[in-house]
Structure formats: structure tokens, C-alpha cells
Amino acid sequence: MDIFRLAGYAVELYLWLIMFPMAILSWFRIRPGTTLARVQLFLYRATEPVLRPVRRVIRPIGNIDISFIVVFLVAQYVVVRVLLG
């Protein structure tokens, strides 16, 4: 297995195990101090370094932050090109 394929799998895991759950949790109000709040904090800290630069370029539309969608689609495109290309 070459390094690019391994990197593609790592990105895929990051998208589905870190970014996607964070997107789902962001839809809900979670009480502070709960286990779910700690999970959300972990996911926030893991996703914010990736999403922050995109937010600087692409501002939210109304109250909708589309940075997640942009990062997810671009990463999926790159992964498909790496894994299938």
C-alpha cells in the first residue's frame, strides 16, 4: 500500500468519524458537563483547525455555516482521486 492510499484512508476516517459526528451534534443543544458535551468539545477541537481557514474565505450564508460542506466535498473529491485514480 503506498503512502497516498494510506493518506486517503486517513482522510476518509477523519471525515466520517470526526467531522460528520461534529456536524450532527452541532444541530442540538447539549447540556454542559455531560459526557456528550465532552465528546462535542473533543470533536470541536479536532475539526476547528480544518474549518477555521475555510470560514475566513467563505462566510456563513445567513445563519448557515457552509464551511463543513465545502471541506467535506473537497476532501471527498481528493480522496476519490487518490484512492480510485
Side-chain angles (χ1 to χ4, degrees):
M1 180 180 305
D2 64 352
I3 191 73
F4 294 112
R5 190 170 297 263
L6 186 61
Y9 288 129
V11 169
E12 194 75 17
L13 282 172
Y14 176 77
L15 290 175
W16 291 106
L17 296 179
I18 303 293
M19 286 198 70
F20 190 72
M22 181 59 199
I24 299 300
L25 285 177
S26 72
W27 296 345
F28 303 99
R29 291 183 57 108
I30 297 174
R31 286 187 296 139
T34 62
T35 301
L36 201 51
R38 287 190 291 276
V39 169
Q40 187 180 37
L41 179 62
F42 167 78
L43 294 173
Y44 173 80
R45 289 180 177 165
T47 58
E48 194 57 23
V50 175
L51 296 175
R52 188 179 309 119
V54 177
R55 283 192 194 112
R56 287 186 192 133
V57 176
I58 302 172
R59 298 287 181 191
I61 300 172
N63 286 336
I64 299 173
D65 179 14
I66 63 168
S67 60
F68 168 80
I69 296 167
V70 171
V71 168
F72 199 86
L73 291 176
V74 168
Q76 281 295 315
Y77 175 77
V78 170
V79 166
V80 166
R81 298 296 294 166
V82 168
L83 293 179
L84 301 178

